[in-house]
C-alpha cells in the first residue's frame, strides 16, 4: 500500500480565529475545508493580538501559531496632537514588531512547507513572497476585501 504524503500549507493572516473579519473568516473556512477534504497539513500563523489566547494550539485539525509581539494596550484615538503622534508611533511599533517576529518564524518554517498562502495583499505579503522566492516555494496571495484595490476605484 502506497503511503500518501500530506501537502503542507502555511497560511499567513494578521488576525485569526477567534478574531472576526473577512480575512480571518476566509482563512478559517478554507483551512477547515481543506483538512477535511484532502490529505493536507495546515499551519496558520497569526499575531497574538490578545494575551489571553494561546501562543500555539490545534483547532479543528489546524495548527495555529500566534506570534508574540508588541501590542498597544489602548487603541482609542487620543484628543491631543501629541497623543495622536504617540498613538501613530505605537501603531508603527506594533506593525514592525509583528513583521520582525514573522520574519524569524518564516525563516525557520518556510523550508518545511510546500505552499505559502497569504490572506492579504498589503505589507503582510512582502515577507512570505521574499521567503517563497528564496526557498523556491509557490506563494498564493489573495485579498478578502476590496481594501487592497482602492486604486481601481474611479
Amino acid at each position: 500500500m502506497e503511503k500518501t504524503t500530506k501537502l503542507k500549507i502555511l497560511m499567513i493572516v494578521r488576525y485569526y480565529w477567534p478574531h472576526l473579519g473577512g480575512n480571518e473568516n476566509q482563512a478559517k473556512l478554507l483551512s477547515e475545508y481543506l483538512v477535511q477534504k484532502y490529505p493536507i497539513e495546515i499551519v496558520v500563523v497569526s499575531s497574538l493580538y490578545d494575551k489571553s489566547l494561546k501562543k500555539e494550539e490545534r483547532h479543528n485539525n489546524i495548527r495555529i501559531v500566534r506570534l508574540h509581539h508588541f501590542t498597544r494596550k489602548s487603541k482609542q484615538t487620543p484628543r491631543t496632537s501629541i497623543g495622536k503622534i504617540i498613538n501613530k508611533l505605537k501603531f508603527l511599533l506594533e506593525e514592525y514588531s509583528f513583521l520582525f517576529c514573522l520574519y524569524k518564524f518564516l525563516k525557520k518554517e518556510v523550508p518545511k512547507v510546500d505552499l505559502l498562502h497569504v490572506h492579504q495583499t498589503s505589507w503582510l505579503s512582502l515577507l512570505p513572497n521574499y521567503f517563497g522566492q528564496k526557498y523556491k516555494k509557490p506563494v498564493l496571495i489573495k485579498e478578502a476585501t476590496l481594501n487592497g484595490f482602492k486604486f481601481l476605484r474611479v
Side-chain angles (χ1 to χ4, degrees):
M1 184 178 248
E2 192 175 309
K3 186 179 176 183
T4 309
T5 350
K6 285 188 172 186
L7 180 70
K8 294 179 184 171
I9 299 175
L10 177 61
M11 292 208 181
I12 300 111
V13 62
R14 181 67 166 91
Y15 300 104
Y16 189 69
W17 171 87
H19 194 276
L20 299 175
N23 289 323
E24 299 84 354
N25 290 336
Q26 283 191 17
K28 184 177 185 296
L29 292 171
L30 180 61
S31 298
E32 290 174 356
Y33 175 80
L34 289 172
V35 295
Q36 285 178 349
K37 195 90 171 151
Y38 303 101
I40 290 178
E41 181 183 329
I42 293 183
V43 176
V44 174
V45 63
S46 176
S47 66
L48 184 65
Y49 60 90
D50 181 340
K51 302 302 183 221
S52 67
L53 296 171
K54 294 178 182 175
K55 287 183 182 179
E56 190 165 333
E57 67 178 305
R58 289 196 78 77
H59 180 74
N60 294 340
N61 293 321
I62 296 159
R63 181 177 159 226
I64 303 166
V65 178
R66 296 184 185 96
L67 302 177
H68 179 74
H69 61 94
F70 169 81
T71 52
R72 295 173 283 165
K73 290 181 182 171
S74 171
K75 297 187 180 183
Q76 294 177 344
T77 306
R79 296 172 193 242
T80 64
S81 295
I82 192 73
K84 289 178 183 178
I85 291 169
I86 290 170
N87 201 42
K88 286 180 182 180
L89 290 172
K90 285 181 180 179
F91 169 78
L92 289 173
L93 181 59
E94 182 175 9
E95 296 302 305
Y96 285 119
S97 69
F98 175 71
L99 276 177
F100 178 72
C101 294
L102 183 62
Y103 175 88
K104 291 191 322 186
F105 178 84
L106 293 175
K107 186 176 180 181
K108 179 180 145 193
E109 294 295 323
V110 169
K112 303 174 191 174
V113 301
D114 300 304
L115 172 74
L116 291 94
H117 185 174
V118 188
H119 287 267
Q120 209 169 355
T121 58
S122 67
W123 57 266
L124 186 60
S125 62
L126 297 174
L127 287 174
N129 190 45
Y130 166 77
F131 281 106
Q133 287 182 6
K134 180 176 180 173
Y135 293 107
K136 297 184 181 3
K137 306 286 181 168
V139 179
L140 174 63
I141 302 170
K142 63 167 265 318
E143 182 65 45
T145 66
L146 287 177
N147 291 337
F149 300 100
K150 287 181 183 175
F151 63 92
L152 293 177
R153 294 186 187 147
V154 182

